[in-house]
Amino acid sequence: MTITFNKESFRGDYSYHNSATAIRRFPFPFDRDEYMYSVNMEPHKGGRPGSVFEARFDVDEHYVAEMEDRAITLSRDPMRCQSLPHMTLAGWDVLELIMTSKAQDYPDLFELHRDGNRWRWVNRPLGIDDTFTFLDETTLPYGPMEYITRQTQGDFAVLDQREGNLWMDAGMVTSQADWSLDFDIGMNFFEWHAPVPRAAEMGIFQRALKFLLNIQQDTPARRLNWTMTVNPRLDTSPETYPEWGPEKRSLTPENLGQKQYLRVELQSFWRLPRSNGLLFPIRCYLISLQDLVTVPKWGRRFHRVIRDLPEDLATYKGFIVNRPMIVDYLSRFDDGAPTSPGIWPD
Amino acid sequence: MIQLRLTDKTPLSPRITRFRFQHPDGAPLPVFSGGAHVMVEMQDGDILRRNAYSLISDPQDGSGYEIAVQREDQGRGGSRFMHEQAQPGMLMRLGQPVNLFGLNLTARKHLLIAGGVGITPFLGQIPELDRLGADYELRYCVRSRDEVAVDLPGAQLHVSDEGSRMDLDGVLGAQPIGTHLYVCGSARMIAAVLDRATALGWPPDALHSEEFLAPAPGEPFDVHCARSHKTLTVGAHQSMLEALEAAGIDAPWLCRGGACGQCETDVLACDGQIDHRDHWLHDDERNRKIMPCVSRFRGQLLTIDR
């Protein structure tokens, strides 16, 4: 597989763009014409060739630019990456999982050579060739979790499992949908989900926690989640709200197709063998509405989903002020024809 | 499940034997965390037995998995199979490591209390604690010296019939705030330790115990599986989970010992009394759920959602 990496930005001039291939492989999250919460888990064991589900940690045309954007965010705010003292072993778990997966899934991009605890890691797209001692932090420029997640797309929450709960005790979070690792660090599963409307009353968190606590070493799981973002911005954090919040008011009927993005998270869940922790990668994919509607099924369906979404969910997802304009725009791509089941383009 | 070769069988004490499993091709096995167990499948004639055993080898060493099995002559037959019929060279199926007894790495100190063969989960945790440089205290309690399965230089050995029983209150009372307690041994010992710790004011979240229950025999009973439209009789020496499996009804499972919660099943109707034997269900769930791996029923008919 050869990937041509885009030269693009996720801030300032927002030159982010999707190729025709990237549009076709976009993880459209709606398998029907309406949306409500569900514990929509499935095994993360590959998927359609070419899809974002195929590799364990998907690498796409945005890889290099996303890693540059992460470095900018970290240089402005180092607290986006934190690891409590008991989480170092879990950090090595994360490094091992990602390095072995990427070297197997993308042998032309990544190489891992292991001689006992002496490891050599080659990352061609980022021009890295490092040799280090596994489980010896002093041989890496950063802690193990920070080192590997500076080279891996998506945010990462590393959860400690104890007292029958999960605890957000480490993470790398620079492409988040308006939540803060610095605020959530040390919280348990119910505490960090407290702001989500409806779901607690629906019993969703109890069921989801039970499922997550039982995830086994050889059975990772995944689900899709979604929200909306104005402009292709990865760093939509509470910390930088003054920079991106006002951009929600910059939409007009004329620029909406270009500036309004559907933001989809491919979330996966992995048991970490050495620490018995749980890794929760949250990989963000962005697509402008004008690109999205080039797939007719997605244009029809997305119009119906956004139009019929309950008010509190539209508020939580942060686009209530713009919903009428978005629905107007999308209605032009919905001729009322029935849509086929499933998420894939026809 | 993975198929592994039994490569070594070494007696550690008159009743406890160590078994080592390796990949038939020499491939490395997944590493694990201290306190994890594996499910071992045994084809014992017509009966497929599945027992959980703690991994006692170094968790970071993927060259093989080691377990220690105590022979239980009054048991259902799994340990007898391992002692009598399992021989080096045999291929056996093992599950992935699962940890229901992990260390709490936020603890200031770890107090490990083992009774007899209950030393096994700690054997995986000791190398981990040593590597982390964590503060720990290991108390290894046996009735007589010939029960000692491993020589542990860092452990304090208590031998009842030599008069060196552990002073439980003294040990529990001398720990710094922030200590976590882990106990593994007989049901009686676990209950005694947890009761004393609670009485002495230990916080519940600092108390950890592991006891895999073997499904105890009982009177046969009938169970109706509503979703599968089948009515089964669970035999005296069979668990309900085994009866479901024998009838081709799919039920998830992990520990098969009442601890992990995986096989939790809704009770739809109950004309009689459920004999709950698990460590999983809360009191307020016991009138509407059952753990078919260990629990039984007395009465006319139990209807479950399977």
Side-chain angles (χ1 to χ4, degrees), chain B residues 101-158:
Chain B
F101 193 51
L103 293 167
N104 184 323
L105 296 181
T106 65
R108 173 194 286 194
K109 180 181 171 183
H110 306 268
L111 172 62
L112 317 175
I113 299 180
V117 74
I119 190 68
T120 52
F122 300 127
L123 297 178
Q125 292 176 337
I126 292 165
E128 207 162 271
L129 290 164
D130 285 337
R131 258 191 301 272
L132 291 167
D135 186 9
Y136 71 93
E137 176 178 331
L138 173 59
R139 302 277 176 167
Y140 183 13
C141 310
V142 292
R143 272 176 302 233
S144 62
R145 195 158 284 267
D146 69 353
E147 275 186 26
V148 174
V150 279
D151 180 28
L152 294 165
Q156 281 163 282
L157 185 65
H158 298 279

Side-chain angles (χ1 to χ4, degrees), chain A residues 171-201:
Chain A
M172 165 69 90
V173 179
T174 66
S175 52
Q176 67 275 55
D178 204 5
W179 67 280
S180 165
L181 175 69
D182 196 32
F183 185 76
D184 286 359
I185 192 92
M187 287 190 186
N188 71 34
F189 189 79
F190 299 111
E191 291 167 346
W192 85 68
H193 280 115
V196 182
R198 287 182 190 232
E201 300 84 74

Side-chain angles (χ1 to χ4, degrees), chain A residues 145-290:
Chain A
M145 185 218 26
E146 179 169 0
Y147 177 79
I148 195 59
T149 57
R150 278 177 177 267
Q151 303 177 42
T152 308
Q153 288 164 278
D155 284 343
F156 293 86
V158 190
L159 314 178
D160 194 26
Q161 180 161 330
R162 55 176 201 271
E163 298 164 23
N165 211 324
L166 295 167
W167 304 81
M168 178 115 34
D169 287 348
M172 165 69 90
V173 179
T174 66
S175 52
Q176 67 275 55
D178 204 5
W179 67 280
S180 165
L181 175 69
D182 196 32
F183 185 76
D184 286 359
I185 192 92
M187 287 190 186
N188 71 34
F189 189 79
F190 299 111
E191 291 167 346
W192 85 68
H193 280 115
V196 182
R198 287 182 190 232
E201 300 84 74
M202 291 167 68
I204 286 203
F205 294 131
Q206 285 289 354
R207 288 207 299 282
L209 177 63
K210 219 164 202 175
F211 178 90
L212 295 173
L213 292 174
N214 270 319
I215 284 188
Q216 300 307 310
Q217 282 184 216
D218 58 342
T219 51
R222 68 181 174 222
R223 70 184 283 260
L224 294 175
N225 193 16
W226 68 280
T227 188
M228 303 280 270
T229 304
V230 174
N231 289 326
R233 188 177 176 98
L234 288 176
D235 176 24
T236 50
S237 61
E239 286 87 348
T240 54
Y241 189 82
E243 295 172 26
W244 58 270
E247 292 179 357
K248 289 187 199 178
R249 303 284 180 173
S250 68
L251 283 189
T252 65
E254 293 69 38
N255 68 16
L256 187 138
Q258 182 206 337
K259 281 175 82 80
Q260 179 65 60
Y261 280 73
L262 169 61
R263 182 185 193 105
V264 173
E265 294 174 351
L266 171 55
Q267 306 179 341
S268 54
F269 306 89
W270 306 77
R271 174 67 56 201
L272 296 173
R274 296 170 193 271
S275 60
N276 201 37
L278 202 73
L279 177 64
F280 176 32
I282 308 155
R283 171 66 181 279
C284 171
Y285 294 86
L286 290 162
I287 190 169
S288 66
L289 295 197
Q290 69 185 10

Side-chain angles (χ1 to χ4, degrees), chain B residues 210-256:
Chain B
E210 181 160 80
E211 183 203 3
F212 288 124
L213 303 167
E219 293 297 309
F221 61 93
D222 288 341
V223 56
H224 177 62
C225 302
R227 236 187 300 161
S228 320
H229 306 291
K230 283 184 185 165
T231 301
L232 324 168
T233 300
V234 179
H237 293 278
Q238 193 180 30
S239 72
M240 195 196 309
L241 180 60
E242 289 165 342
L244 293 173
E245 288 170 339
I249 296 169
D250 193 30
W253 53 268
L254 214 50
C255 78
R256 302 178 81 89

Side-chain angles (χ1 to χ4, degrees), chain B residues 43-243:
Chain B
Q43 192 62 56
D44 186 5
D46 295 342
I47 303 171
L48 180 64
R49 302 187 185 282
R50 293 190 177 109
N51 282 14
Y53 294 106
S54 297
L55 287 162
I56 63 167
S57 42
D58 185 338
Q60 310 286 320
D61 176 8
S63 68
Y65 287 160
E66 292 179 1
I67 60 171
V69 179
Q70 175 165 281
R71 187 185 169 112
E72 303 288 353
D73 285 320
Q74 307 309 314
R76 296 179 356 124
S79 69
R80 270 201 312 281
F81 175 90
M82 290 304 290
H83 278 252
E84 289 168 7
Q85 296 185 53
Q87 297 302 338
M90 269 174 64
L91 290 171
M92 295 179 73
R93 277 157 48 87
L94 275 71
Q96 288 279 336
V98 173
N99 200 341
L100 302 174
F101 193 51
L103 293 167
N104 184 323
L105 296 181
T106 65
R108 173 194 286 194
K109 180 181 171 183
H110 306 268
L111 172 62
L112 317 175
I113 299 180
V117 74
I119 190 68
T120 52
F122 300 127
L123 297 178
Q125 292 176 337
I126 292 165
E128 207 162 271
L129 290 164
D130 285 337
R131 258 191 301 272
L132 291 167
D135 186 9
Y136 71 93
E137 176 178 331
L138 173 59
R139 302 277 176 167
Y140 183 13
C141 310
V142 292
R143 272 176 302 233
S144 62
R145 195 158 284 267
D146 69 353
E147 275 186 26
V148 174
V150 279
D151 180 28
L152 294 165
Q156 281 163 282
L157 185 65
H158 298 279
V159 185
S160 324
D161 70 4
E162 294 177 7
S164 60
R165 283 182 82 112
M166 176 173 60
D167 167 16
L168 181 56
D169 278 16
V171 169
L172 293 176
Q175 303 302 324
I177 297 282
T179 302
H180 277 247
L181 163 71
Y182 309 81
V183 54
C184 185
S186 67
R188 220 178 60 182
M189 178 192 188
I190 291 173
V193 171
L194 297 182
D195 284 352
R196 285 313 299 155
T198 304
L200 289 168
W202 282 63
D205 287 339
L207 305 178
H208 312 274
S209 62
E210 181 160 80
E211 183 203 3
F212 288 124
L213 303 167
E219 293 297 309
F221 61 93
D222 288 341
V223 56
H224 177 62
C225 302
R227 236 187 300 161
S228 320
H229 306 291
K230 283 184 185 165
T231 301
L232 324 168
T233 300
V234 179
H237 293 278
Q238 193 180 30
S239 72
M240 195 196 309
L241 180 60
E242 289 165 342

